[in-house]
Amino acid sequence: QVQLVESGGGLVQPGGSLRLSCAASGSIFIIYNMNWYRQAPGKQRELVATIDSSGITNYAGAVKGRFTISRDNAKNTVFLQMNSLKPEDTAVYSCNADIKASIVTPLQNVWGQGTQVTVSS
């Protein structure tokens, strides 16, 4: 059973920074895309950033230039460095990844449980 576990959320003042981590554990053969999503109260979940297995990244327009996604393939971990945070960044942030547990098993789309990020003075 593959699991994703996020950490690093919390309360931060506007203009501050946070770094989220998401570690995959269990039987893992290969991880393809790793993604960060967020969902604010009363809003739909939105894709924040993605990184593929070769390190190519993409960002939502609202976070481009402020957030940086990266990954450590040796540790099966994806990070989200969030700088210049704004109150509108307040949301539950969840990681998501496409993972094969073995060479013969089908691709799984796995979600973490989410971590709360609150930007407030």
Side-chain angles (χ1 to χ4, degrees), residues 23-34:
S25 62
S27 178
I28 297 169
F29 172 67
I30 190 170
I31 303 177
Y32 294 101
N33 288 352
M34 302 187 84

Side-chain angles (χ1 to χ4, degrees), residues 90-104:
T90 295
V92 175
Y93 285 71
S94 300
C95 67
N96 166 264
D98 295 320
I99 301 173
K100 282 179 68 69
S102 75
I103 197 169
V104 297

Side-chain angles (χ1 to χ4, degrees), residues 3-8 19-25 28 31-37 49-53 55-59 68-81 93-99 110-112 115:
Q3 290 186 318
L4 295 176
V5 178
E6 300 101 335
S7 60
R19 188 187 195 217
L20 305 183
S21 300
C22 172
S25 62
I28 297 169
I31 303 177
Y32 294 101
N33 288 352
M34 302 187 84
N35 315 299
W36 285 100
Y37 285 79
T50 69
I51 184 167
D52 70 11
S53 56
I56 296 173
T57 60
N58 278 290
Y59 298 92
T68 301
I69 189 171
S70 60
R71 63 193 284 173
D72 183 335
N73 290 329
K75 296 182 179 179
N76 294 325
T77 300
V78 63
F79 305 97
L80 186 68
Q81 177 67 43
Y93 285 71
S94 300
C95 67
N96 166 264
D98 295 320
I99 301 173
V110 183
W111 287 89
T115 185

